Amino acid sequence: MASFHGNKINPSRFGIGQVKFFVFLIPLGIVMILPIVFMFSQALKPLDELFLFPPTFLVRQPTIENLVSLLSLKDMSVIPVTKYLFNSVVVSVSVVALALLTSAMTGYALSKKKFKLRKTLFEINTIALMFVPAAVTIPRYLIVEKLGLINTYWGHVLPLLALPVGVFLVKQFVDQIPNELIEAAAIDGARDTAVFLRIVMPLIKPAMATVAILAFQTVWNNAETSSLYMSKETLKTFAFYMTTLSTTIGNNVAGQGVAAAAALVMFVPNLIIFIFMQSKVMDTMAHSGLK
Amino acid sequence: MKLKLNKPRREALIGYLLVLPWIVGFLLFMAYPLYFSLFMSFHKVAITPYGIDTTFRGWDNYKDAFLTDPDFIQKLLLFVKSTVVMIPIVIVFSLFVALLINQPIRGRQFFRAIFFLPVVITSGEVVQELFAQGAATIPLMDQSGVIAYLENNLSATWSAPLIDVINRFILILWYSGVQILIFLAALQKVNTQVYEAAAIDGASPWVIFWKITLPEVKPFILVNLIYTTVDLFTNTFSDVIKLIQDNMFQVGTGFGYSSALAWIFFAVILLVLLLAVWLFRNREKTAYAGSGR
């Protein structure tokens, strides 16, 4: 207890001793934010600025023209943009939820349960991390087809659930939970589900939040399942819609602005999820019983 | 479930039950596809309206990759070289940043968020879009004339690698998000009382870092080593992966050949990773040998 009452985690005052840290942190931090500033500024640039040479980093005369023309594009296709968005939301939410659950269960079992195959399974998982996903496109298609997942939401969800990074990260975090803690809970009469939900889950929250962010990235930006497994236009996702935008209109001069706006629209949900999840990552780490 | 099982067996059963969904998913979407791509790598694959046509080619796909392909080996070597250089830089950098943002400074939460931010940039379409628009280089560097200054005042042998590092610096920063987070979690695990005790005993921050902090975060260095290697090798702008994808839809080469390329690439990644882990373990042993472990 003393450890987190005794030292204040976030000092409220600025002291001279902190200067040496800021000397490094501020310039590095600016570099980190640049790409995001660039994205916003690019989307807000009017056409003549987009083709300026030498290109400017920041927008000079911001305009929402690009965004407006992006939204008015919906008249071109029969299906409203909202349908794509709806699909994306449904698919993303299910993938994130299911990926979290399977990663947590697998990571916990591989770390704390003793059974013959657990080392082998984890090694296989780590090796699976290394394979180029593009190389398994055809076989995956065959599987999806055989399972009858073509033109169903499951076709979006199931192939993305295999998230080796998730299992990898969760397992590493569960490893850090002392066995004594789990044994003590078991002695106190906690069942496996209770141990898992009440002890393990709260302690691996940083890992879970990270996995959630990574899973969301993968699914939200994924246009592949739509183009490969879905032939019905009404089942395709927003990411797919965006790629068709940039290929159909991105090639001509006027399309550049719309493409930049589309990139921004694609990116904003990532940012929102990130801001929402990262506070969980950071908050829980300081107070987790991992000490 | 009130089965009469002895404890180890019950535990094993629960273990398998928990892993089961993962195993099923893995078999369907990883293991079988991997097997199939290995199979294809020994065949010439043609996609016809009636299905997939395969003719056996033996090791020819692999031979072609090494002997006749003008690009593959050259690109592979170049990519491996540059990536292997980046790995230690990413690790050291992310440890450095993690140490900084673990300090009691104002706005700590804010800085943490910023340094973790690249995680949302480096995946998927976004980073490609950024790359296409040229945001991955530091335009300020160009505009402020730093690069021109280096070019004018240093000989090409010196300026080229320097510029290369500057240009890639942003990439290094962007690929450190998860690593920083992992290190940060490790650092927060260290009991602050240990630091206080060491400080009272008169240890300098430098000594504290080497004697207390580093041993504590050591297991996580290995985790990060694996993560970084994999992350850098399989990211979307690897030239090699682009080459593999290009070959997929070429009539002359097709899926069989690109599968062979993918497997060669996979073998190389595995080799680099094993080497890195082996080096790390070896160093660890020699480091501990002195302290009698």
Side-chain angles (χ1 to χ4, degrees), chain A residues 171-199:
Chain A
K171 196 249 179 196
Q172 304 293 351
F173 271 78
V174 181
D175 275 350
Q176 303 300 317
I177 301 174
N179 284 329
E180 291 82 2
L181 198 65
I182 290 170
E183 278 158 24
I187 289 168
D188 288 347
R191 295 216 190 142
D192 278 294
T193 35
V195 170
F196 181 67
L197 291 176
R198 298 247 187 102
I199 295 171

Side-chain angles (χ1 to χ4, degrees), chain A residues 132-154:
Chain A
V132 188
V136 291
T137 314
I138 291 195
R140 272 197 184 170
Y141 176 80
L142 295 177
I143 293 267
V144 169
E145 196 193 16
K146 277 212 185 93
L147 292 176
L149 300 178
I150 300 285
N151 284 331
T152 62
Y153 278 120
W154 289 112

